[in-house]
Amino acid sequence: MILITGSATIHPQFRDEALRLGIEHSVRSRAEPGCIDHRCHIDAEDPNRIVFVEEWADMAAVQTHFAVPESGAFVQALTALAVAPPKMAVYAAEVLQQR
């Protein structure tokens, strides 16, 4: 399984627009093959920081996701609303326990 975390701190006046874009992107991504889950969250300690948590079946699904034109457009749009470039980390993971 591949886990991806991402975040962007948004200019306060663009927060609602960024959330709309983030939710649309998450919904669209969940429909892609190999996407287990993709969610957009608001940081409880910083309401202007949007956080993304993604679960993918494998790296091939992630690479396909990154190649989708809408994914690139989303990153560009979010970057334009942010105070700094968004951050992202990709992890290879295995489930050790699940409840």
Side-chain angles (χ1 to χ4, degrees), residues 2-5 25 37-39 52-56 65:
I2 304 297
L3 297 178
I4 300 176
T5 61
H25 178 66
D37 200 19
H38 194 298
R39 301 288 168 169
F52 296 88
V53 179
E54 308 174 30
E55 296 177 40
W56 294 87
H65 170 66

Side-chain angles (χ1 to χ4, degrees), residues 62-74:
V62 171
Q63 291 171 334
T64 299
H65 170 66
F66 287 165
V68 172
E70 292 84 358
S71 292
F74 164 72

Side-chain angles (χ1 to χ4, degrees), residues 10-21 48 50 77-83:
I10 306 299
H11 290 283
Q13 68 269 30
F14 301 132
R15 182 176 174 269
D16 290 346
E17 175 67 7
L19 282 173
R20 183 188 65 74
L21 290 170
N48 293 316
I50 298 173
L78 190 67
T79 299
L81 304 175
V83 299

